[in-house]
Amino acid sequence: MRFDAVTLFPEMFGLVRDQGVTGRAHAQGIWSLKAWNPRDFTYDAHRTVDDRPYGGGPGMVMLAAPLEAAVDAAQAERAAQGLGQAPVVLLAPTGRRYGQREAQELASARQGAIFICGRYEGVDQRFIDRRVTQEWSLGDFVLSGGEIAALAMIDAAVRLLPGVLNDGDSALQDSFNSALDGLLDSPHYTRPEVYEGASVPEPLLSGHHARIARWRREQSLSLTAERRPDLIEQARATGRLTREDERFLASLPKRS
Ligand code: 9WO
């Protein structure tokens, strides 16, 4: 899987490329990332990448030409490696909401993606019209640049690639993944058995697989009912709650 990022801050991508499980997978060649600096595609003495907005107003706007040249260089390198053209993704609050489903789609997209990380007040619309094929958002907030959004999206996708998580099937057990039927994950405990007077819940110490599984399921159900009742509705509507689940949910105190 290959990703490209067009960014004025290429060093930021070391965070996901070099650290943790995503870093290990990168070192193993499971995925790659190349950052392209639009400043390297400028041809004036000051290597200008931005200018003042037409119509006035605060801040600066990223020039179309260096962004377009960087995207074209990334696509050309892909073509030279026998890869097809990749989707060109702009990170912006106006985009389609990126969630676990989109992370899975990205992880199984054969061509990976080219992420456009804007800075300043935004990027010239003509670049978006000419090159961007998708806009994605992480939520309703404004960042100082698209990089951190791209890093989050890449991290969420890379950990789903085959061979990245080699500890059995922990991606399958995440909140939002299918083994939990779209419910939130249950709490986790490790040693010591008593920490500052607080014990590990007894079922986890029982050694009874079925009791442990039932306790975890009930924790998932009550946590999800409290924090994300919408996910309970979704699980119910898609037939992922058993009669035992429904009996447990009915036994919970009414929400305040
Ligand atoms: C921002 C914007 C806001 C309204 C309408 C169009 C827009 N385009 C952009 C844009 O391209 N912004 C660039 C990236 C430059 C300014 C900082 N940027 C940014 C991306 N801020 N916040 C995000 C972002 C990305 C994904 N999820 C949440 C926020």
Side-chain angles (χ1 to χ4, degrees), residues 191-223:
R191 293 197 295 176
E193 202 174 305
V194 181
Y195 175 70
E196 298 286 322
S199 296
V200 172
E202 193 279 327
L204 297 179
L205 305 171
S206 70
H208 290 98
H209 176 79
R211 250 189 96 199
I212 293 168
R214 195 62 225 160
W215 181 86
R216 286 181 168 154
R217 183 72 174 183
E218 291 178 354
Q219 291 289 311
S220 280
L221 288 163
S222 51
L223 185 67

Side-chain angles (χ1 to χ4, degrees), residues 90-94 118-120 122 136-139 141-146 149:
L90 179 70
L91 297 319
T94 45
R119 283 271 156 178
Y120 315 117
W136 288 351
S137 169
L138 289 181
F141 51 90
V142 178
L143 298 166
S144 31

